[in-house]
Amino acid sequence: MAAGTAASTNESRRGAGPSAPLTPAEPISPSPTGPVNPLTPAAAAQFLAQATFGPSAASISALVSSSKEDWITDQFKKPQSLHRSYVQNLAPSLPAVIALSPNQVYESFWKQAATGDDQLRQRVTFALSQIFVISTAEDRLYSHPAGVASYYDMLGHSAFGNFRDLLQNVALHPMMGMYLSHMHNQKEDGTRLPDENFAREIMQLMTIGLYQLNADGSLKLQNGRPVETYRHEDVAGLSKVFTGWSWAGPDLSANRFYGAAVDPARDWTPMQNYPAFHSTSAKSFLGTQLSGGNATVELKAALDTLFLHPNVGPFIGRQLIQRLVSSNPSPAYVSRVSAAFANNGYGVRGDMRAVIRAVLLAPEAQDTGAAKKLREPVLRLANWMRAFNAKSASGHFQITTTDSVLGALAQTPLRSPSVFNFFRPTYMPPNTSLSAQGLVAPEMQITGEPSVTGYLNFMQEVIPYGVGALGDVKGDYSAEMALAAQPALLLDRLNLLLLSGGMSTTLRNQIISTLNTITLPVANSSNASEVASARKNRVCMAIFLTMASPEYLAQR
């Protein structure tokens, strides 16, 4: 995505010290070799539940032998696995009557979520995809699966880079251009005005939000009322910057602008500007005044203005905390993450590695025994896959949409119903104790009686029989089957893998009592299959009851 980051300058990233040297953001305070305070298996599992798509026995063991700091440093060095490569490499093997579709994107998502070695990147990328939203539910994107995969790859590449580059890569990606309609956006002419969609959403959802914030995420008030960050005049002015951008290609013809001339790489190459369609009038937004009509210069100035706005650190930082750790972070927590965004310790603003460290290594991220957030459905299924080393018979993790409210997850990755994601970060469940306390629970926006029933129905089938086409993805319960005759030991294992050691005595005793109602026949030479079936029934029941429990659904 080099062409998509060229306009970003080092100067725009500097922190308070104008002469501070720009250096890589490898850790601000490097940790010594080996763990300073060795982690317990439960603490390791709890951290991995935040920083990955879920702990596995192997990943818990490895982290216990290391430290959180060293694990993060090692994860920053992992090479990125590319979704677009998967999608395009799969194309020749598809039957002639089957075209590429988002199904191949979903396959790649689940494969990497379950088996990818770069788990921190995978997890942060998913979090970013819920802030910088595109959706295959949009008809225009459905027929561009390689483009959608490349957009997700771009988020993954940018996850460990600088937020300024991320912002530009998002703005110029053709899939975002189609989704929020600034592709083919034309200058004002007579009664025609530039499309304001992307200009509004890049402010409201991707950078500064609706209201001015203090560094700790609290609202700035004027006469007791929140202060708006922008007005419609700012949207109108910024929308002119996003005119004239369209498909990349070797020329600037009208045919290419409108999409009739097709470059083979256009779905993943950053959009280019067509001067004939770009507004040359004066542009005013957020206190910035632009004139002259040079599209590249104006884009840089506009994105720099957004990037340098004091709201970005607390606005984006709080959402990353919500996605990874806690729905209701303390002001002090948000403030520390905002500070890391403003200055990574070397005078660099927007360093995503510093932000990720601040999110995951905060004292508030550690296990206090209290629920921090509701696990969203996609994370539950990914957690099951990783906890039980799920294997795909086809090798492709053939899972398509999981939208069904009554029969699946009520959520499919990269398929949110709108630009506002599956749920809003400020959502308060009405008429609940949470709302009475002024607390939010974003994931509750897609939680209700139908979706709860659907999740239970879905997992009741997935756990014993697998998920995907013909049960393509199945859990490996060999370790659990060996413990089936010892329910207490089986629950110890599930407690660690699924609840990070936080299972209550009440839940533990309830599940053990239920398991003891499943009789294990005395093994003999003629009933091996019957014994194996009974053992599996115990294991599957134990997993199901654990994953159905409120203690599992509420991540600590």
Side-chain angles (χ1 to χ4, degrees):
M1 299 293 293
T5 61
S8 180
T9 65
N10 286 339
E11 288 298 326
S12 71
R13 300 176 190 155
R14 290 189 185 276
S19 60
L22 293 177
T23 58
E26 282 306 322
I28 297 171
S29 300
S31 61
T33 302
V36 177
N37 298 305
L39 293 170
T40 65
Q46 190 256 350
F47 173 78
L48 291 168
Q50 298 167 344
T52 75
F53 274 108
S56 64
S59 66
I60 292 169
S61 178
L63 183 53
V64 166
S65 300
S66 179
S67 70
K68 295 178 183 179
E69 294 86 348
D70 289 344
W71 183 88
I72 292 174
T73 298
D74 181 63
Q75 284 287 309
F76 284 155
K77 299 174 183 177
K78 299 282 186 184
Q80 180 182 7
S81 303
L82 298 178
H83 296 277
R84 179 165 70 88
S85 298
Y86 173 88
V87 170
Q88 292 183 306
N89 291 340
L90 190 62
S93 66
L94 293 176
V97 295
I98 299 178
L100 283 175
S101 75
N103 286 341
Q104 285 73 51
V105 181
Y106 309 144
E107 288 179 11
S108 185
F109 171 87
W110 287 113
K111 182 175 184 177
Q112 291 195 32
T115 66
D117 193 35
D118 56 338
Q119 277 291 302
L120 179 59
R121 187 190 301 271
Q122 296 291 334
R123 185 65 189 87
V124 174
T125 302
F126 183 58
L128 292 174
S129 76
Q130 296 184 300
I131 301 171
F132 301 92
V133 175
I134 66 169
S135 175
T136 56
E138 167 59 55
D139 290 342
R140 287 174 294 181
L141 269 62
Y142 187 89
S143 58
H144 297 269
V148 171
S150 81
Y151 181 85
Y152 201 69
D153 287 339
M154 176 274 294
L155 294 180
H157 174 75
S158 302
F160 294 166
N162 191 280
F163 186 84
R164 174 60 176 78
D165 294 334
L166 167 62
L167 198 57
Q168 181 152 325
N169 292 340
V170 167
L172 292 185
H173 199 286
M175 297 301 105
M176 179 60 80
M178 284 197 292
Y179 186 61
L180 287 184
S181 60
H182 61 294
M183 176 182 279
H184 306 150
N185 193 11
Q186 298 184 47
K187 63 185 177 183
E188 63 276 17
D189 184 16
T191 59
R192 184 184 66 211
L193 296 174
D195 187 297
E196 298 178 351
N197 203 18
F198 183 69
R200 179 178 58 255
E201 306 304 359
I202 195 175
M203 290 192 288
Q204 178 181 348
L205 302 177
M206 304 176 197
T207 53
I208 65 177
L210 292 172
Y211 301 108
Q212 292 184 25
L213 302 174
N214 295 304
D216 64 2
S218 61
L219 292 172
K220 289 185 176 181
L221 302 177
Q222 192 172 77
N223 299 323
R225 299 174 64 85
V227 182
E228 293 181 345
T229 53
Y230 63 88
R231 299 178 181 275
H232 179 258
E233 292 78 10
D234 298 303
V235 176
L238 185 58
S239 70
K240 295 180 183 179
V241 173
F242 297 111
T243 54
W245 297 95
S246 191
W247 298 111
D251 59 61
L252 298 175
S253 65
N255 275 346
R256 193 167 301 282
F257 178 83
Y258 288 114
V262 178
D263 186 86
R266 73 176 191 174
D267 278 13
W268 50 87
T269 305
M271 292 187 292
Q272 65 189 21
N273 194 267
Y274 293 71
F277 298 94
H278 182 70
S279 173
T280 57
S281 65
K283 304 166 182 68
S284 176
F285 53 90
L286 300 177
T288 295
Q289 310 291 327
L290 300 176
S291 61
N294 184 306
T296 301
V297 171
E298 290 180 347
L299 179 70
K300 177 188 180 303
L303 297 183
D304 282 349
T305 297
L306 294 172
F307 174 63
L308 294 171
H309 194 287
N311 261 35
V312 181
F315 184 73
I316 294 297
R318 186 174 190 275
Q319 290 191 70
L320 288 175
I321 295 171
Q322 287 183 307
R323 299 279 56 78
L324 300 176
V325 177
S326 173
S327 295
N328 294 279
S330 69
Y333 192 177
V334 176
S335 186
R336 286 194 299 274
V337 174
S338 298
F341 183 94
N343 187 336
N344 70 345
Y346 300 110
V348 178
R349 179 177 175 82
D351 176 13
M352 292 295 292
R353 296 187 182 199
V355 172
I356 292 166
R357 286 184 182 278
V359 170
L360 294 176
L361 298 178
E364 293 92 333
Q366 297 180 30
D367 189 4
T368 62
K372 292 183 171 67
K373 65 189 294 287
L374 183 69
R375 294 182 205 262
E376 61 191 284
V378 162
L379 296 184
R380 299 173 207 166
L381 183 59
N383 189 184
W384 169 79
M385 290 183 187
R386 289 186 55 75
F388 304 108
N389 196 24
K391 303 287 196 310
S392 166
S394 68
H396 295 299
F397 285 76
Q398 294 177 333
I399 304 170
T400 58
T401 58
T402 47
D403 288 351
S404 174
V405 173
L406 288 176
L409 297 175
Q411 185 186 28
T412 300
L414 288 168
R415 191 177 161 78
S416 70
S418 78
V419 71
F420 297 102
N421 187 31
F422 302 98
F423 36 77
R424 306 268 188 124
T426 56
Y427 179 74
M428 288 185 181
N431 304 315
T432 63
S433 60
L434 288 173
S435 60
Q437 299 173 69
L439 300 177
V440 303
E443 295 84 358
M444 288 294 291
Q445 195 166 4
I446 57 170
T447 304
E449 290 182 5
S451 67
V452 169
T453 301
Y455 166 69
L456 297 177
N457 290 340
F458 183 65
M459 294 308 297
Q460 200 167 23
E461 293 292 319
V462 167
I463 292 168
Y465 305 119
V467 63
L470 301 177
D472 181 57
V473 182
K474 289 181 170 64
D476 177 357
Y477 302 134
S478 53
E480 290 72 30
M481 292 276 281
L483 301 174
Q486 300 168 287
L489 294 182
L490 174 59
L491 261 292
D492 286 345
R493 180 175 175 84
L494 299 187
N495 183 19
L496 180 63
L497 290 173
L498 298 174
L499 275 77
S500 305
M503 183 180 290
S504 69
T505 301
T506 299
L507 178 61
R508 176 187 172 86
N509 290 339
Q510 287 174 337
I511 296 177
I512 289 176
S513 294
T514 302
L515 298 186
N516 284 330
T517 66
I518 302 174
T519 303
L520 296 183
V522 177
N524 57 52
S525 59
S526 62
N527 70 346
S529 61
E530 182 183 355
V531 171
S533 178
R535 284 178 175 269
K536 184 176 181 181
N537 286 342
R538 272 197 177 186
V539 167
C540 291
M541 179 62 75
I543 296 170
F544 175 74
L545 292 177
T546 302
M547 295 190 73
S549 70
E551 293 180 21
Y552 169 74
L553 298 175
Q555 178 179 308
R556 300 196 331 277

